[in-house]
């Protein structure tokens, strides 16, 4: 028999589209409507069949796997807990509780994407808004160092360029779109104006825009490869708009100057509020990376790269970031929650992960799980489990499961490990 489940949330990216319709037949999702090509696989490729956990590649009972994981973590001098961004907030808070109990380092995927954004936010504040406000009000959209036409495929349709809103009833025709990037992209093709920035020159361009907004003169014909006249015209457009938005991506956070780039953008945004309503929003990648920032901040006071080794949370981007900890060979055991660092980390960090005992909690067998000492095949939040995720604008979304929950959740596995560690 076929059942149709409406208003399911896709957790693939930070858009968290919550209007997905799925059809379920024989406890499998047979059809998905409204999800984009990036998100469809989450539902269609997912096999909810219960599986046993493994220890050293052999299937074992769940209690035995929990004991093995607890033993690894208790024996370690400096355990690392990493990932979190593709799990639900309920599991994230358990992972942090476990880090606190063990005196471990806990880090999220933020440290390799928007960590610099967090640093800038702490330094100068973040003029923000919700995607609902953007949809209903924004008449000037500026995408900087991001390519949502490839990474967040429904962003234009649901929240920005093509969305029809209360004060922009004609959608695309009521909005102006500008793109800054180091190369032409699919997003740039959709823009009214494209500014090609010389690589690693974003800071200079942002500083020039700040100067122009303040009415200062610049003794140069171009900045970062962009003619000054074009920047001056854009500045006038920014001052004259009603509601402007900067959507920023890893082109800013992971190029030279990193958090200093972002700090400059946030400061520019704050200055523009003298003339028009202007906000900035990071384009978050993983479905609940914004939630990982939120949960770690409310539990420890800091958004990523936190060590509990001294019995209280210490913040140390660069010192307690997972890549740095692994490259320096300081972690002697790792628990990876819903992430695949072996596939994405620099080689030296990935090799260290392969050398130390690793525990993986994940719905799918990824590269990191293949080499794990202990692997827990859990359910997938939003597909066969309920939970909470934060959208890229930090609005919490309640996830409903489309399938019955037959596998353990990340939260329940972490809870069992916590209780076992307490008894060790
Ligand atoms: S835009 Fe993101 S959240 Fe929306 S359907 Fe596509 S992958 Fe899923």
């Amino acid at each position: 028999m076929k059942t149709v489940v409406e208003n399911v949330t896709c957790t693939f990216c930070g858009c968290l589209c919550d209007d997905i319709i799925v059809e379920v037949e024989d406890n499998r999702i047979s059809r998905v409507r409204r999800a984009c090509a990036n998100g469809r696989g989450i539902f269609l490729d997912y096999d909810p069949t219960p599986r046993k956990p493994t220890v050293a590649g052999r299937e074992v009972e769940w209690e035995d796997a929990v004991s093995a994981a607890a033993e690894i973590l208790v024996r370690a001098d400096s355990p690392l807990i990493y990932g979190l961004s593709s799990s639900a907030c309920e599991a994230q808070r358990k992972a942090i509780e476990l880090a606190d109990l063990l005196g471990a380092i806990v880090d999220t995927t933020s440290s390799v994407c928007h960590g610099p954004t967090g640093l800038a936010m702490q330094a100068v504040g973040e003029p923000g808004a919700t995607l609902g406000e953007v949809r209903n009000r924004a008449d000037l959209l500026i995408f900087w160092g991001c390519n949502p036409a490839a990474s967040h495929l429904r962003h234009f349709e649901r929240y920005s360029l093509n969305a029809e809103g209360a004060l922009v009833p004609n959608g695309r025709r009521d909005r102006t779109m500008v793109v800054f990037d180091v190369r032409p992209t699919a997003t740039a093709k959709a823009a009214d104006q494209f500014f090609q920035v010389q690589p690693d020159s974003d800071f200079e361009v942002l500083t020039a825009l700040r100067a122009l907004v303040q009415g200062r003169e610049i003794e140069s014909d171009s900045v970062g490869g962009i003619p000054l006249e074009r920047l001056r015209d854009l500045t006038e457009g920014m001052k004259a708009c009603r509601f402007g938005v900067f959507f920023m991506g890893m082109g800013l956070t992971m190029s030279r100057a990193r958090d200093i780039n972002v700090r400059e953008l946030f400061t520019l945004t704050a200055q523009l509020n003298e003339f028009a309503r202007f906000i900035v929003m990071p384009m978050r990648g993983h479905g609940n990376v914004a939630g990982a920032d939120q949960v770690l901040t409310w539990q420890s006071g800091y958004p990523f790269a936190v060590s509990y080794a001294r019995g209280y949370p210490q913040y140390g981007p660069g010192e307690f970031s997972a890549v740095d900890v692994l490259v320096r060979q300081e972690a002697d055991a790792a628990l990876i929650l819903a992430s695949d660092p072996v596939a994405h980390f620099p080689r030296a960090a990935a090799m260290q992960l392969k050398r130390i005992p690793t525990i993986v909690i994940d719905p799918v067998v990824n590269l990191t799980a293949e080499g794990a000492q202990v692997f827990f095949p859990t359910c997938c939040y939003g597909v066969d489990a309920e939970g909470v995720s934060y959208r890229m604008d930090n609005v919490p979304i309640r996830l409903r499961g489309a399938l019955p929950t037959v596998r353990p959740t990340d939260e329940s596995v972490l809870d069992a490990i916590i209780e076992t560690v307490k008894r060790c």
Side-chain angles (χ1 to χ4, degrees), residues 10 12-13 15-17 20 35-36 38-39 152-155:
C10 170
F12 185 84
C13 83
C15 284
L16 288 186
C17 300
I20 309 297
C36 70
N38 289 346
H152 299 73
L153 296 182
R154 296 187 71 208
H155 193 277

